[in-house]
Amino acid sequence: MPTLHRSTALAAAGTAVLALALTACGGSDGSGGGAKDEGAAKPAATVAAQPSKDASAPSGSAATTAVKSGGTTVTKTATAKQAATKSGGSKDTDSYAYTHPCAGGQVTVRVTRRAATQRVIEVRNTGASACGLSYYPAVDLGSATSADQSHNIKPLVPGGLGGPPAYALHAGRTAYAVIDLDPSGATTGTAPGIDEMNVLANGDHMPNAETRNFPLGSGAKVLKPKLGLYSATVAQAVASMQQADTRS
């Protein structure tokens, strides 16, 4: 009988130890105990990170940033990428203009009087993108009633110019070129019967059909006219005209 009691006591002690061990295991597998929340966060983080490892998601994409940095950073990243795309795809740049010549429907041409013998040629870009002009407009002077324009007078232009690209005209901007019909101011020896100026804004690429005709008025004095390069201001255009020394 004493032996029976000793075995019972040992069995009871073993049962208590086993119960204690099971309780400890239950706390570690997330089914109970104070470590439950911390343990659950790790599997969740692992699942959330999986999309960034997907081969279909580009490296550095907004999806990857979302996993690594959170929603706020994603917004900033997307905005930055949109801005970069917009900037990189802009059509109002010099480089775009140099590869896209101005067409007749994209520009307007206007001529105004600056002085007794000077005229200002204004070419305005009315389009939404930049375009390229020649170094100066193609200009000749003749009679509005003459059927033969082959003997029209062409002005001198600045020499020493390189090849294209020439003048980049941005959207909404105006390019100016100044011509002096009679730089010497002579009143004798001038060409008779000259009353019209013909202007082709982009002589390098526009067809002759785009030529615009502007009356000079009767009695216009024309003798060795000079034409300057396209410029951003009238003052610069005048300075360029004064350097004209080469036949156009």
Side-chain angles (χ1 to χ4, degrees):
M1 291 300 290
T3 301
L4 179 61
H5 287 301
R6 187 179 304 112
S7 299
T8 302
L10 290 175
T15 301
V17 170
L18 179 61
L20 180 61
L22 289 175
T23 301
C25 291
S28 64
D29 67 2
S31 61
K36 177 179 179 180
D37 292 339
E38 184 177 352
K42 293 181 180 180
T46 302
V47 173
Q50 287 177 357
S52 68
K53 298 178 182 179
D54 192 333
S56 64
S59 176
S61 66
T64 301
T65 307
V67 173
K68 293 181 179 179
S69 303
T72 302
T73 304
V74 171
T75 303
K76 292 181 179 179
T77 303
T79 302
K81 294 185 70 173
Q82 290 171 359
T85 302
K86 182 178 181 181
S87 176
S90 175
K91 296 181 179 181
D92 195 24
T93 62
D94 286 0
S95 59
Y96 186 88
Y98 293 147
T99 56
H100 294 79
C102 294
Q106 188 176 0
V107 299
T108 59
V109 183
R110 180 170 173 256
V111 173
T112 58
R113 182 190 294 264
R114 181 177 182 274
T117 61
Q118 292 183 5
R119 303 291 187 276
V120 179
I121 300 169
E122 303 176 5
V123 179
R124 182 173 180 80
N125 184 350
T126 59
S129 59
C131 63
L133 290 172
S134 44
Y135 281 106
Y136 48 81
V139 175
D140 62 70
L141 306 160
S143 170
T145 59
S146 175
D148 182 11
Q149 302 286 319
S150 62
H151 298 292
N152 284 8
I153 298 173
K154 292 185 177 182
L156 297 175
V157 296
L161 303 175
Y167 189 90
L169 183 60
H170 288 243
R173 299 294 184 86
T174 300
Y176 302 92
V178 171
I179 183 172
D180 195 328
L181 306 175
D182 183 12
S184 67
T187 57
T188 60
T190 58
I194 305 297
D195 62 0
E196 184 178 67
M197 179 167 67
N198 306 307
V199 179
L200 183 59
N202 189 1
D204 290 342
H205 295 92
M206 287 182 182
N208 289 333
E210 297 290 349
T211 300
R212 301 291 180 261
N213 314 111
F214 300 92
L216 295 175
S218 59
K221 300 288 192 274
V222 177
L223 180 63
K224 298 180 180 179
K226 290 185 175 185
L227 172 67
L229 305 178
Y230 277 124
S231 303
T233 67
V234 173
Q236 292 173 348
V238 171
S240 176
M241 174 271 294
Q242 294 170 341
Q243 304 301 314
D245 58 3
T246 305
R247 290 189 178 277
S248 59

